Amino acid sequence: MEISIFTVDAFTEQPFHGNPAAVCLLEDKLEENQHQKIANEMNLSETAFIRKLNPTDDFTKKNVNSTLTFITLSGELIARQAEDHIILDLPLYFTHPQDVKEVEELVKAAVGDKSVQDVRYSPDTKKLLIRLSDAYERADLEKLKVNAENLLLAEKTGRIKGVIITLKGDGRGKQESYDFYSRYFAPWYGVSEDPVTGAAHTVLSSYWSQQLGKKKMCAFQCSARGGRLKISLRQDGRVDLGGQSSIVLKGFLSI
């Protein structure tokens, strides 16, 4: 059997940037263990499998109002196309002030001696949000050397499974102004640093919306690959995360 397969870089319009994922187009169902084998073979953070619900469905037909529902370990993920962007429909998660003394060692492992302006915790996602002082610039966040092993050793609460480091935007993006920057680390799940993280922005969106008094924002995740996200908080308590994408590989997988 041959399966059409693509590698897509998400949250970017440039090849080799953003978050890489494999996408498989299936004409028929696969055995459950084959999904995992294909994902292991692709060796990327995400592998998506898209299957026709009806024999007459056309994978190649373009529809600006089309939506896809992905079944993930975290529940259903709905994506839709809007002009040249793909919009993810995600829940919005709020943060609460964190006693810095409880996570002092973890904060130091993440940002060293840098000045910290705020520390928050999201119980729904088990993510710790560390906001650097507004005195810093994007380059300071990009230069941070974060050791994943040190994060694991420094986490003593047993509650935290991801660390977000964020910084207020300086309005001096190369192509556009950004409201905030971030980086994300989740060694508890085997991810030393994630290139671009939709899940982290479900937390970042609520935090920065409160801080900036804005419902629409533009963000940049400052990993080595980098990725740009357009954010829109909705009336129903959810958030739309938008980004462009670039297909960098097309081919067939033989199984």
Side-chain angles (χ1 to χ4, degrees), residues 100 114-120 130-136 166-168 207-208 211:
V100 179
K114 290 239 178 330
S115 177
V116 171
Q117 185 159 327
D118 199 2
V119 179
R120 301 289 186 101
I130 303 169
R131 175 182 174 181
L132 295 178
S133 167
D134 292 347
Y136 296 115
T166 188
L167 176 69
K168 184 179 179 181
Y207 176 79
W208 282 110
Q211 296 296 308

Side-chain angles (χ1 to χ4, degrees), residues 112-153:
D113 295 327
K114 290 239 178 330
S115 177
V116 171
Q117 185 159 327
D118 199 2
V119 179
R120 301 289 186 101
Y121 178 67
S122 166
D124 296 300
T125 66
K126 298 183 178 179
K127 291 176 175 50
L128 185 73
L129 183 151
I130 303 169
R131 175 182 174 181
L132 295 178
S133 167
D134 292 347
Y136 296 115
E137 298 182 354
R138 169 178 168 175
D140 298 303
L141 177 58
E142 292 175 333
K143 290 176 184 176
L144 272 179
K145 304 295 184 183
V146 182
N147 184 293
E149 188 63 30
N150 289 344
L151 293 181
L152 292 172
L153 294 173

Side-chain angles (χ1 to χ4, degrees):
M1 181 191 301
E2 284 193 337
I3 297 172
S4 296
I5 191 163
F6 303 80
T7 298
V8 182
D9 291 342
F11 297 112
T12 181
E13 74 283 5
Q14 302 179 60
F16 315 123
H17 290 71
N19 199 26
V23 180
C24 296
L25 303 184
L26 303 179
E27 298 287 344
D28 301 297
K29 286 185 178 181
L30 294 176
E31 295 180 9
E32 188 57 37
N33 67 331
Q34 288 180 308
H35 292 86
Q36 189 59 57
K37 287 179 179 179
I38 292 172
N40 291 341
E41 186 72 16
M42 298 311 297
N43 195 31
L44 296 171
S45 298
E46 293 88 17
T47 300
F49 298 90
I50 302 175
R51 183 171 58 85
K52 291 182 180 181
L53 294 179
N54 301 297
T56 57
D57 288 341
D58 186 353
F59 281 132
T60 64
K61 184 177 180 181
K62 292 184 178 180
N63 184 344
V64 294
N65 296 315
S66 61
T67 63
L68 286 175
T69 300
F70 295 94
I71 307 302
T72 76
L73 293 176
S74 302
E76 290 189 352
L77 172 62
I78 299 174
R80 70 180 187 273
Q81 185 176 350
E83 297 180 347
D84 62 343
H85 279 61
I86 302 298
I87 310 295
L88 300 182
D89 174 352
L90 296 170
L92 195 63
Y93 294 113
F94 293 90
T95 59
H96 306 285
Q98 170 70 47
D99 184 348
V100 179
K101 291 184 178 179
E102 291 184 12
V103 293
E104 187 173 8
E105 190 175 341
L106 180 57
V107 171
K108 186 172 180 60
V111 303
D113 295 327
K114 290 239 178 330
S115 177
V116 171
Q117 185 159 327
D118 199 2
V119 179
R120 301 289 186 101
Y121 178 67
S122 166
D124 296 300
T125 66
K126 298 183 178 179
K127 291 176 175 50
L128 185 73
L129 183 151
I130 303 169
R131 175 182 174 181
L132 295 178
S133 167
D134 292 347
Y136 296 115
E137 298 182 354
R138 169 178 168 175
D140 298 303
L141 177 58
E142 292 175 333
K143 290 176 184 176
L144 272 179
K145 304 295 184 183
V146 182
N147 184 293
E149 188 63 30
N150 289 344
L151 293 181
L152 292 172
L153 294 173
E155 207 296 279
K156 308 296 185 183
T157 69
R159 298 182 290 114
I160 296 166
K161 300 298 180 183
V163 172
I164 303 167
I165 306 175
T166 188
L167 176 69
K168 184 179 179 181
D170 55 18
R172 295 193 295 272
K174 292 180 181 178
Q175 296 181 342
E176 58 186 306
S177 298
Y178 295 106
D179 293 289
F180 65 88
Y181 302 109
S182 68
R183 291 175 66 184
Y184 180 66
F185 308 87
W188 297 270
Y189 295 114
V191 180
S192 296
E193 180 171 5
D194 200 31
V196 191
T197 320
H201 282 81
T202 63
V203 176
L204 285 160
S205 297
S206 66
Y207 176 79
W208 282 110
S209 177
Q210 291 176 337
Q211 296 296 308
L212 302 175
K214 300 176 71 172
K215 299 293 184 182
K216 295 183 182 294
M217 296 171 286
C218 189
F220 190 85
Q221 190 157 332
C222 299
S223 65
R225 292 178 64 97
R228 197 164 62 238
L229 304 95
K230 288 191 175 180
I231 298 164
S232 180
L233 276 70
R234 298 181 357 203
Q235 294 277 348
D236 60 1
R238 295 178 68 84
V239 61
D240 285 340
L241 297 182
Q244 294 177 289
S245 62
S246 174
I247 297 175
V248 296
L249 181 148
K250 298 179 183 180
F252 295 94
L253 188 68
S254 298
I255 61 173

